[in-house]
Amino acid sequence: MIKKCLFPAAGYGTRFLPITKSIPKEMLPIGTKPLIQYGVEEAKSAGCNTMAIVTSKYKKAIEDYFDTHTDIEQNISGNSKEKLLEPLNSLIDSTIFTYTRQKEMKGLGHAILTGEPLIGNEPFAVILADDLCDNSGDTVLSQMVELYKKYPDYCIVAIEEIPKKDTDKYGVIDGEFIEYNIVKVSNMVEKPKPEDAPTNLAIIGRYILIPEIFDIIKETKPGKGGEIQITDALLTLAKQGKVLAYKFEGKRFDCGSIDGFMEASKYFSSNLL
Ligand code: G1P
């Protein structure tokens, strides 16, 4: 039902300098896999077969990664290393990767709008690869797709409770719980100061969006940081009663921060041994 997943991946990743000078943030490894592969695997688990990746001129490594590498493949052909590439190759063979480039960094809303030609007029998922999620049961995006089947006219954002002091790092929502884990959203604010935050329910990097969002983003004025924010565009839909927030099952690592990235490395290392 949701066939395409958009990955905004044009940012500079300056928090991780110097490594991000030549390695895209989305290509930083947790174990032997880059962050974006975890995102693509999650999107596949939720039934998405097309990855719509919004890149920039510095992000060629992403396109190369999801493609064949004939030199390496010839080099390892028939030896024990061959199996190391097999899971990635089968992911590549079974997935459509499409790309477009964002020429200016004008915010997450603008990045999503840049992906419009790759999405077209259908509902779609968005994964921010630096929010790495894990769950023993259904993945976070699968849980959201299940919910979308019940509420197909709504946008859905994933939320989690955060310490109130951290609200200025996230989009924060307010609204009314209609089930123990679902909020009908009435207000959303991008990165409010703790004293201005309506709640401590923070949006994390998983969204299901209806295609009307593109026209709304086009009308959305720059907000926090002078950037076009998806939170502000979604607020327009929330005021029409069309946004749900979902408290997901699972664990989420903020791999956009060094601490979160190190924590995720430790957590996933046990899976690699
Ligand atoms: C973006 C969004 C924010 C959201 C966050 C989740 O912020 O603008 O609303 O809470 O992702 O990770 P960023 O982390 O890109 O600054």
Side-chain angles (χ1 to χ4, degrees):
M1 187 188 214
I2 303 279
K3 293 180 298 218
K4 297 181 179 172
C5 184
L6 189 149
F7 290 79
Y12 294 126
T14 46
R15 260 189 243 163
F16 282 84
L17 281 170
I19 183 68
T20 41
K21 197 175 158 207
S22 64
I23 311 278
K25 173 174 78 162
E26 296 76 14
M27 292 302 295
L28 295 179
I30 299 290
T32 53
K33 289 195 300 195
L35 278 172
I36 194 163
Q37 187 175 346
Y38 289 87
V40 170
E41 288 170 355
E42 185 178 331
K44 298 266 313 189
S45 77
C48 299
N49 203 38
T50 297
M51 307 301 144
I53 306 184
V54 178
T55 61
S56 74
K57 64 178 159 189
Y58 303 109
K59 301 284 183 117
K60 294 193 189 79
I62 298 175
E63 288 166 66
D64 291 344
Y65 186 76
F66 293 116
D67 201 345
T68 50
H69 190 315
T70 35
D71 286 353
I72 287 187
E73 276 153 24
Q74 274 166 18
N75 184 271
I76 62 174
S77 170
N79 78 31
S80 61
K81 303 267 175 52
E82 216 172 7
K83 66 176 187 311
L84 297 178
L85 263 189
E86 273 166 14
L88 175 60
N89 281 342
S90 78
L91 184 70
I92 293 170
D93 288 345
S94 61
T95 309
I96 299 164
F97 290 91
T98 62
Y99 299 90
T100 192
R101 281 188 182 187
Q102 190 181 7
K103 291 178 200 74
E104 297 166 283
M105 306 303 134
K106 290 207 270 183
L108 181 55
H110 181 258
I112 291 173
L113 180 59
T114 305
E116 182 181 15
L118 305 180
I119 300 293
N121 187 27
E122 59 185 280
F124 62 103
V126 176
I127 288 185
L128 308 185
D130 55 10
D131 273 333
L132 179 53
C133 293
D134 188 47
N135 188 36
S136 52
D138 288 348
T139 63
V140 174
L141 196 63
S142 305
Q143 296 166 37
M144 293 171 73
V145 167
E146 278 311 303
L147 185 63
Y148 180 75
K149 287 180 186 161
K150 208 168 142 194
Y151 295 100
D153 299 328
Y154 290 78
C155 287
I156 303 174
V157 298
I159 50 164
E160 77 176 356
E161 284 183 39
I162 52 148
K164 195 93 196 238
K165 68 173 173 47
D166 291 335
T167 56
D168 59 358
K169 296 184 189 138
Y170 299 95
V172 174
I173 64 114
D174 196 5
E176 189 194 331
F177 275 89
I178 55 171
E179 286 178 41
Y180 76 98
N181 55 357
I182 304 170
V183 180
K184 186 152 188 202
V185 177
S186 56
N187 191 18
M188 344 187 33
V189 195
E190 180 67 5
K191 304 197 173 99
K193 288 192 208 130
E195 60 271 29
D196 300 330
T199 66
N200 67 337
L201 298 172
I203 302 169
I204 66 124
R206 300 289 181 279
Y207 304 77
I208 290 181
L209 301 176
I210 53 177
E212 287 88 324
I213 197 72
F214 292 125
D215 283 341
I216 295 171
I217 299 173
K218 286 172 201 160
E219 299 297 319
T220 301
K221 304 260 173 324
K224 195 90 190 175
E227 296 186 328
I228 297 170
Q229 301 293 349
I230 191 64
T231 306
D232 296 340
L234 280 167
L235 177 59
T236 302
L237 285 174
K239 285 183 181 152
Q240 299 165 18
K242 284 185 164 179
V243 179
L244 298 178
Y246 169 64
K247 272 178 102 172
F248 61 94
E249 305 278 326
K251 207 169 159 45
R252 166 248 171 196
F253 299 91
D254 173 14
C255 290
S257 77
I258 311 268
D259 284 352
F261 182 82
M262 300 310 277
E263 200 193 324
S265 295
K266 230 185 289 167
Y267 174 88
F268 281 92
S269 68
S270 54
N271 297 346
L272 293 162
L273 299 176

